[in-house]
Amino acid sequence: MRTTDVKKVEYLIYPTDPRFRGAQYVINFVMQKYEWGGYTKLSADKWFGVNRSEASVYSKFSYKRMTFDLYADEIYLTNRHTGTQSTETFRFPDLYGKGPQTVERVSIPAALRYRNNSNDITFRALYNTDKTQISNTLSLAFTSIPRNDATTSLTYANDFLPGSTAKSVASSNNFSLNYNFEIYRSFGEKLGMNIESRYNYDHNTSNSDYTDNDFRIINDAKEDMHYVSATPCLVWNPNNHNSLMPYMHAEYSTTKINYFGNSPSHQDYDIWGYMAGVKYTYQQSQWSAGGLVGWVYADVDLSGTRIKDNYPQGNVFGTYSPNDKNQVEITYAFGKQVPDTYQKSPNMLQQDELMWYAGTPGLDNYWNHRADATYTWLPNNKWQLSLNGAYFIADNRVTSIYTPTAPNGTMLRQYLNDGNFSWTTVTANATAKFLGGKLIARVSPMYTHYSTTGEYAQKMDGLQCTAQLTWYFGNFYLFGWYTTPRKDLSQTSGIKDRTPSRYQLQIGYGKGAWRASATAYNFLRSSWESSRETLTSQYYQFDRRTYGTAQHMRFQFSVTYTFGYGKKIQRGNEVSGSGTGQSAILK
């Protein structure tokens, strides 16, 4: 967005304007309008320390009531430091008919190679008047991973198998086509209508070839998915205090997956979903309250396994502001989480000599509840403080469970409903401005308490703090931040994840058509280790270190040049790439 085109910025709370479709908070940029013209923005990014390059072009052209946007990008990444080093312990009651056995396996990566190339193209045509807006957006996305290979040294503590060198050769391709149509119509200051519809097509392939001496596993898959949805809603503001928004939503997806290799099969998934509800907001000068209530109906057919469910979902919220310096807000939301399609796969695939993995078609949708309370204090434009407490629980959540029920008594990783998962957080955000707003400091400590029941019953505490400092001087700025180490507990696997501290320093320049920046990320860390993960269960446990580019030192240089033609037009509201969609292939 070109800041010189911004006439003013509005911060709105529960705005009654139907154009904002019942939003709770709105940041509205009021832009300078132009008759016709266009501009093009060229951007390039290069990383050193990790081999990554990125380039994009964005162009906008407006004529009278029509605006056309075009975006294209390319990202290239290659890495020889991606992999996992692990110590695994398997406990088998009866392995290959030889009775109880405990097997410890140590995996050490010897050679790794990863390459990723992705492209996005997006085109949008926008028709805009004071009362009507019609948007048509078409986007294409392609991601190719031709190499995701690993050579691993394997040793067994109890001589279950002789030491060996395993090789894994993997690749994948993902293609997405997305079309989005949206129309908004205002019928005066009190009534507005919005209709959005989408169509997505995804084509995905996945190939994997694992060899260890004479042992070989081939798992290849090809997937085609179609998705369509429609969401009409009405916004009615009878007066300055009341707002009512009834809405409906319908969607359908069909997926066909063919598995080839050691475990060939064909899967057909058909999923229907329907939703209807209403949102209501009431507001006065110092307080506001409201809620949303809806009903969801789902019908899922997974290769002949039919699952139907219907349930309510909604939220309630309230805000109290005794003056312009203080505000208290509380929210509560409830609904059901639908497991990912790949978690419901009826297929079972082999991973290596000792491990298989499978989905469960009959997985239950599970309840989620979340409550938040936030207090904000703004004594003046120099100091800001907010305190937040939040609680979340997933009841009978879906998680991966390990049992020695695979062929010949080997281990099976399977997605099942098991136990509750909850977290509680307490967060503070403090901001201070100095030198007339040119120097901004921010600190954000956060405490998290995790608790789970079921197979991975445990409790864990984590404390993290992030500090930021930004300094604007002339046409330059200096920005830096530091985040302490973090501990997380996975909702869907029971894995404890520990990541090291992270930090960044960036200097940037902007004048006229040029923007440039240089960034140093984790500039004192030479290690490629991204995180350390541990898992403990009745039959299986591991301690592993994952390697990649995420926490390694890297240096990024970015430059953007924008040039206009014709008469200037509104800048901002730019489109970008859509990215590829989620795959239902079992993983």
Side-chain angles (χ1 to χ4, degrees):
M1 181 184 301
R2 188 186 182 196
T3 56
T4 55
D5 286 348
V6 179
K7 297 176 65 178
K8 65 177 179 178
V9 180
E10 298 176 330
Y11 172 61
L12 308 174
I13 301 177
Y14 301 114
T16 57
D17 191 326
R19 291 177 300 172
F20 301 122
R21 302 157 201 170
Q24 188 172 356
Y25 299 104
V26 172
I27 301 295
N28 184 40
F29 292 88
V30 180
M31 308 294 294
Q32 176 68 47
K33 294 183 178 180
Y34 298 91
E35 295 180 2
W36 67 274
Y39 70 93
T40 296
K41 181 166 65 176
L42 305 174
S43 301
D45 295 82
K46 177 61 180 177
W47 281 256
F48 296 91
V50 299
N51 189 8
R52 178 186 174 108
S53 301
E54 186 173 335
S56 66
V57 56
Y58 172 81
S59 190
K60 179 191 288 281
F61 181 81
S62 290
Y63 180 73
K64 295 183 178 179
R65 296 178 176 178
M66 292 298 302
T67 300
F68 303 95
D69 302 81
L70 180 64
Y71 173 87
D73 73 7
E74 177 165 359
I75 301 174
Y76 175 80
L77 169 66
T78 181
N79 178 30
R80 294 181 179 271
H81 302 277
T82 297
T84 302
Q85 177 180 323
S86 65
T87 299
E88 303 167 276
T89 302
F90 301 80
R91 302 179 184 91
F92 300 105
D94 186 13
L95 182 63
Y96 287 99
K98 298 180 180 180
Q101 293 195 50
T102 298
V103 179
E104 183 179 280
R105 177 172 62 189
V106 178
S107 307
I108 300 177
L112 307 165
R113 188 171 183 182
Y114 175 85
R115 191 166 81 231
N116 181 309
N117 193 86
S118 63
N119 299 90
D120 288 274
I121 300 175
T122 301
F123 172 77
R124 180 179 63 180
L126 181 66
Y127 172 81
N128 194 12
T129 67
D130 292 338
K131 293 186 176 182
T132 303
Q133 185 179 86
I134 302 175
S135 174
N136 288 272
T137 305
L138 179 67
S139 59
L140 303 174
F142 179 75
T143 298
S144 173
I145 304 178
R147 301 293 296 270
N148 190 8
D149 308 336
T151 301
T152 306
S153 172
L154 299 178
T155 58
Y156 297 85
N158 55 352
D159 296 326
F160 170 74
L161 288 173
S164 63
T165 299
K167 293 184 179 180
S168 175
V169 178
S171 62
S172 63
N173 290 288
N174 306 92
F175 170 78
S176 289
L177 182 150
N178 304 293
Y179 172 69
N180 184 284
F181 171 79
E182 186 172 1
I183 180 170
Y184 171 77
R185 173 67 179 174
S186 173
F187 302 97
E189 297 181 356
K190 298 182 178 181
L191 186 65
M193 179 186 67
N194 186 78
I195 301 175
E196 182 179 6
S197 61
R198 288 177 52 198
Y199 168 74
N200 295 352
Y201 168 70
D202 291 282
H203 176 76
N204 304 306
T205 61
S206 175
N207 303 285
S208 173
D209 189 344
Y210 174 88
T211 58
D212 183 5
N213 294 326
D214 296 330
F215 184 80
R216 187 179 186 186
I217 303 173
I218 298 176
N219 287 323
D220 297 337
K222 182 173 69 173
E223 173 190 32
D224 288 282
M225 189 274 286
H226 298 267
Y227 170 88
V228 62
S229 71
T231 309
C233 71
L234 192 69
V235 181
W236 179 41
N237 300 311
N239 51 52
N240 292 333
H241 301 295
N242 295 274
S243 176
L244 196 67
M245 187 183 76
Y247 69 93
M248 297 178 64
H249 175 79
E251 63 180 50
Y252 168 72
S253 68
T254 178
T255 304
K256 298 183 182 297
I257 306 177
N258 287 299
Y259 292 93
F260 310 93
N262 290 43
S263 304
S265 69
H266 175 77
Q267 312 294 338
D268 287 312
Y269 305 154
D270 290 288
I271 302 174
W272 296 263
Y274 309 94
M275 183 189 310
V278 61
K279 179 180 180 181
Y280 171 74
T281 302
Y282 180 83
Q283 58 179 325
Q284 293 283 0
S285 58
Q286 293 183 326
W287 63 274
S288 58
L292 178 149
V293 61
W295 201 272
V296 179
Y297 173 79
D299 187 350
V300 180
D301 185 347
L302 302 173
S303 295
T305 301
R306 199 73 176 263
I307 306 169
K308 296 183 180 181
D309 195 8
N310 67 95
Y311 50 89
Q313 71 170 21
N315 63 66
V316 293
F317 50 87
T319 302
Y320 175 62
S321 303
N323 49 55
D324 59 1
K325 301 181 185 299
N326 297 272
Q327 178 178 284
V328 177
E329 180 181 14
I330 57 173
T331 62
Y332 166 70
F334 67 93
K336 278 192 176 181
Q337 175 69 40
V338 179
D340 291 325
T341 307
Y342 73 85
Q343 295 175 326
K344 297 181 178 182
S345 171
N347 210 15
M348 184 167 71
L349 304 176
Q350 189 171 9
Q351 179 175 305
D352 52 42
E353 296 91 334
L354 299 176
M355 183 73 74
W356 293 66
Y357 57 104
T360 302
L363 287 175
D364 293 328
N365 301 333
Y366 52 97
W367 285 103
N368 285 351
H369 300 266
R370 175 166 178 165
D372 283 81
T374 303
Y375 168 69
T376 303
W377 181 46
L378 303 171
N380 50 52
N381 194 41
K382 182 177 180 180
W383 303 96
Q384 301 175 20
L385 176 66
S386 68
L387 301 173
N388 173 266
Y391 175 75
F392 169 84
I393 184 170
D395 185 13
N396 198 28
R397 50 79 187 264
V398 169
T399 188
S400 52
I401 302 294
Y402 296 84
T403 57
T405 56
N408 300 312
T410 54
M411 199 66 65
L412 176 65
R413 171 173 60 85
Q414 187 174 15
Y415 295 102
L416 297 171
N417 292 99
D418 179 77
N420 299 337
F421 173 89
S422 67
W423 53 254
T424 303
T425 64
V426 178
T427 307
N429 291 283
T431 302
K433 300 179 181 179
F434 307 98
L435 304 179
K438 294 183 178 180
L439 182 64
I440 304 172
R442 179 177 292 117
V443 61
S444 303
M446 179 176 69
Y447 164 78
T448 305
H449 173 74
Y450 296 96
S451 178
T452 62
T453 62
E455 176 71 14
Y456 305 110
Q458 59 185 302
K459 298 181 185 296
M460 190 180 81
D461 297 296
L463 181 63
Q464 184 184 29
C465 186
T466 299
Q468 297 180 187
L469 190 66
T470 308
W471 179 31
Y472 299 95
F473 52 102
N475 295 320
F476 294 86
Y477 70 88
L478 187 64
F479 171 68
W481 57 263
Y482 174 84
T483 298
T484 59
R486 181 182 177 96
K487 292 193 301 182
D488 290 293
L489 183 61
S490 172
Q491 176 180 324
T492 58
S493 67
I495 295 176
K496 292 182 178 179
D497 185 8
R498 297 170 175 83
T499 55
S501 61
R502 295 172 291 134
Y503 44 90
Q504 174 181 298
L505 187 63
Q506 181 180 87
I507 185 169
Y509 168 83
K511 184 177 181 180
W514 290 96
R515 300 289 184 273
S517 66
T519 305
Y521 180 79
N522 282 354
F523 45 86
L524 299 178
R525 179 174 295 128
S526 59
S527 172
W528 293 93
E529 183 177 326
S530 297
S531 65
R532 184 171 183 178
E533 301 174 339
T534 57
L535 180 137
T536 301
S537 64
Q538 181 179 358
Y539 298 104
Y540 176 71
Q541 68 184 51
F542 64 71
D543 184 344
R544 69 189 183 196
R545 301 174 187 270
T546 62
Y547 298 92
T549 61
Q551 310 296 342
H552 182 68
M553 72 165 66
R554 61 180 181 266
F555 303 91
Q556 177 186 354
F557 295 91
S558 304
V559 62
T560 298
Y561 177 70
T562 304
F563 60 92
Y565 35 85
K567 290 188 177 180
K568 294 180 181 179
I569 62 168
Q570 174 180 332
R571 300 191 183 185
N573 190 27
E574 299 174 354
V575 298
S576 60
S578 63
T580 53
Q582 186 182 60
S583 173
I585 296 174
L586 180 62
K587 49 186 174 288

